[in-house]
């Protein structure tokens, strides 16, 4: 993590490497998902919040494609014709290809990237990067594009070109979030509601990388498909698991064997919880929202079986010391726990939780807080 703001860092990196200032400077945020875990690929709602931490892209006209990230500081030449899987420039090339399909033609550009979003920590540095790149390069080409179009370009870049089986939540929040609001995104219909939230969200890093989880996540996705098939055999007419109502659960839970009954129960109750959480947020009922977060964590732990001991301790300890609620956020098996803390108790809860974690796991967890940030924007 850097001390200088990423906007200043991207500007000076651009200057140093390319000899003049960037013509456009654009930023997009990372995100944390308040509630709605593993609902996105089951047609349900998610409730993400944009972070104050952002990825900044500076871009300037050039006759070939050159890019540098403050991450390693190395200028690399790229070509839309040559995918560089395994390199960060794959995301740039993905954006260039998706832009190409919209008819955007640039002979090249110089691109400098700096970010305060941790990478690979489940906070969506990838969508912050692709959305910022898409807006910077369309801006450089003098094209005005809607936020919805940016979502498409960024999603195609990551999904079709880089080859990540992601939904559209990350790109949607990076492009469309409003400062001081969470975003209720119904992945089944695409409907978006901005829900005011002025408070802080605390993040406790488990220190366990979520990178090891590809296999388990794919397994869960398959299990959800099987569970949907089993529900249909029971006469349920649903396009996705999230279409099944909580009132239909008791009968289905009796009919389905484990683990499919557990996956079903998580998705159906999480869908219901997420919509209630948006209501609690709108009503500024943070104690209720906190209880929904804790229920969500229990559902991840017991039914989706995607938690880990580090996350369980952080949640349990935070709640015992007075948090309104906490839960594992992101794909699971590591990553971060988010907490909602009454402001007057913040410092004490954080200190107690850190100490308990250190005693059990031998290291201090990184803890930080964010308010709800805004979506993609110009920094000039
Ligand atoms: P997450 O989106 O949860 O942070 P991903 O694995 O989806 O994790 O995306 C992380 C990848 O995105 C990095 O490995 C890197 O290739 C790319 N990336 C994100 N931000 C930057 C950045 N500022 N500079 C270079 N690459 C970046
Ligand atoms: Mg990502």
């Amino acid at each position: 993590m850097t001390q200088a703001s990423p906007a200043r860092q991207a500007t000076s990196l651009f200057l140093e490497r390319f000899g003049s200032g960037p013509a456009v400077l654009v930023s997009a945020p990372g995100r944390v998902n308040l509630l709605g875990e593993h609902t996105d690929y089951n047609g349900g709602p998610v409730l993400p919040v944009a972070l104050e931490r952002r990825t900044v892209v500076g871009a300037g006209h050039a006759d070939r494609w050159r890019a540098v990230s403050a991450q390693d500081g190395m200028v690399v030449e790229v070509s839309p014709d040559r995918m560089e899987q395994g390199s960060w420039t794959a995301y740039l090339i993905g954006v260039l290809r998706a832009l190409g399909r919209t008819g955007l033609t640039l002979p090249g550009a110089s691109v400098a990237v700096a970010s305060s979003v941790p990478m690979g920590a489940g906070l969506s540095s990838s969508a912050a990067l692709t959305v910022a790149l898409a807006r910077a390069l369309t801006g450089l080409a003098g094209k005005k594009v809607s936020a919805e179009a940016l979502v498409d370009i960024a999603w195609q870049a990551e999904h079709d070109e880089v080859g990540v089986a992601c939904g559209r939540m990350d790109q949607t929040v990076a492009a469309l979030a409003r400062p001081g609001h969470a975003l209720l995104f119904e992945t089944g219909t695409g409907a978006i509601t901005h829900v005011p939230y002025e408070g802080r969200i605390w993040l406790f890093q488990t220190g366990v990388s979520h990178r090891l989880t590809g296999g388990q996540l794919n397994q869960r996705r398959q299990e959800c498909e099987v569970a949907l098939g089993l529900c249909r055999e029971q006469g349920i007419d649903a396009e996705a698991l999230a279409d099944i109502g909580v009132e239909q659960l008791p009968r289905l839970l009796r009919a389905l064997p484990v683990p499919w009954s557990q996956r079903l129960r998580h998705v159906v109750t999480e869908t219901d919880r997420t919509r209630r959480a948006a209501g609690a947020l709108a009503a500024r009922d943070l104690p209720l929202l906190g209880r929904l977060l804790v229920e969500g964590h229990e559902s991840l732990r017991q039914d989706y079986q995607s938690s880990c001991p580090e996350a369980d301790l952080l949640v349990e300890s935070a709640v015992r010391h007075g948090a309104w609620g906490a839960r594992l956020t992101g794909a699971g098996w590591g990553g971060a726990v988010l907490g909602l803390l009454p402001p007057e108790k913040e410092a004490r809860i954080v200190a107690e939780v850190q100490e308990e974690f250190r005693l059990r796991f031998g290291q201090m967890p990184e803890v930080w807080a964010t308010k709800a940030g805004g979506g993609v924007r110009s920094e000039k």
Side-chain angles (χ1 to χ4, degrees):
M1 213 59 42
T2 54
Q3 296 309 311
S5 85
R8 240 175 309 167
Q9 219 192 343
T11 306
S12 55
L13 185 64
F14 194 100
L15 256 171
E16 280 163 25
R17 298 298 195 273
F18 304 124
S20 61
V24 296
L25 195 67
V26 165
S27 75
R31 63 97 187 95
V32 58
N33 191 17
L34 258 184
L35 198 57
E37 217 61 79
H38 303 289
T39 45
D40 57 339
Y41 52 87
N42 287 299
V46 291
L47 189 61
V49 169
L51 304 178
E52 291 167 311
R53 296 191 180 201
R54 307 179 74 86
T55 294
V56 181
V57 170
H61 292 284
D63 55 8
R64 58 205 162 109
W65 291 101
R66 291 177 307 170
V68 58
S69 168
Q71 203 56 36
D72 59 13
M74 287 193 346
V75 177
V76 281
E77 297 237 0
V78 302
S79 158
D81 305 326
R82 204 181 59 243
M83 184 39 95
E84 304 274 0
Q85 290 296 0
S87 157
W88 77 270
T89 54
Y91 293 87
L92 170 59
I93 295 162
V95 168
L96 294 181
R97 289 179 173 191
L99 283 174
R101 288 194 287 275
T102 71
L104 181 120
T105 45
L106 277 169
S110 305
V111 172
V113 180
S115 180
S116 54
V117 184
M119 293 197 313
L123 299 168
S124 193
S125 67
S126 58
L129 176 61
T130 51
V131 168
L133 281 170
R135 168 78 180 268
L137 294 173
T138 49
L140 195 65
K143 249 179 109 170
K144 270 216 170 344
V145 285
S146 66
E148 288 76 10
L150 291 180
V151 173
D152 272 339
I153 293 160
W155 180 77
Q156 285 175 27
E158 184 155 356
H159 185 271
D160 300 350
E161 304 298 340
V162 181
V164 181
C166 56
R168 289 169 177 266
M169 165 170 70
D170 299 350
Q171 297 79 12
T172 300
V173 63
L176 286 151
R178 290 189 188 153
H181 290 73
L183 188 149
L184 177 67
F185 175 40
E186 289 283 353
T187 64
T189 61
I192 284 170
T193 315
H194 298 277
V195 190
Y197 179 59
E198 299 289 346
R200 296 218 268 184
I201 295 169
W202 285 84
L203 285 147
F204 300 77
Q205 304 289 155
T206 62
V208 182
S209 168
H210 82 137
R211 290 199 160 277
L212 313 166
T213 64
Q216 280 151 310
L217 185 58
N218 286 338
Q219 191 189 344
R220 288 295 177 277
R221 292 181 79 127
Q222 279 166 8
E223 288 165 351
C224 286
E225 277 174 36
V226 173
L228 180 60
L230 292 173
C231 290
R232 286 180 178 151
E233 282 173 20
Q234 295 296 317
I236 296 289
D237 176 25
E239 252 181 56
L241 273 191
D243 295 342
I244 297 172
V246 275
E247 71 289 347
Q248 292 173 300
L249 264 187
R251 178 172 75 82
L252 290 170
L253 292 176
R254 280 195 297 276
L256 263 61
V258 287
W260 300 284
S261 57
Q262 294 168 290
R263 312 306 184 236
L264 167 71
R265 182 163 53 200
H266 170 73
V267 173
V268 170
T269 60
E270 185 84 346
T271 293
D272 178 59
R273 265 191 299 278
T274 305
R275 292 182 184 139
R276 284 196 286 144
L281 205 53
R284 295 184 159 73
D285 188 344
L286 297 182
L288 172 59
L289 179 61
R291 286 196 295 280
L292 292 168
L293 296 186
V294 174
E295 277 177 30
H297 184 77
E298 277 307 289
S299 183
L300 289 177
R301 188 174 72 80
Q302 297 190 40
D303 280 343
Y304 220 69
Q305 297 174 308
S306 58
S307 187
C308 61
E310 290 84 353
D312 294 342
L313 179 134
L314 289 168
V315 170
E316 191 272 323
S317 172
V319 171
R320 185 159 33 78
H321 290 293
W324 280 313
R327 71 173 201 97
L328 177 61
T329 183
W333 298 281
V337 161
L338 71 82
L340 290 186
L341 314 184
E344 70 282 4
K345 295 187 189 163
E346 280 174 350
R348 194 176 53 75
I349 296 173
V350 168
E352 301 273 14
V353 170
Q354 280 186 310
E355 183 56 15
E356 284 189 14
F357 190 95
R358 191 185 64 77
L359 284 174
R360 169 91 180 273
F361 296 108
Q363 63 186 43
M364 278 298 229
E366 195 189 325
V367 182
W368 50 285
T370 186
K371 289 192 167 188
V376 66
R377 67 176 186 227
S378 171
E379 293 286 337
K380 276 206 160 196

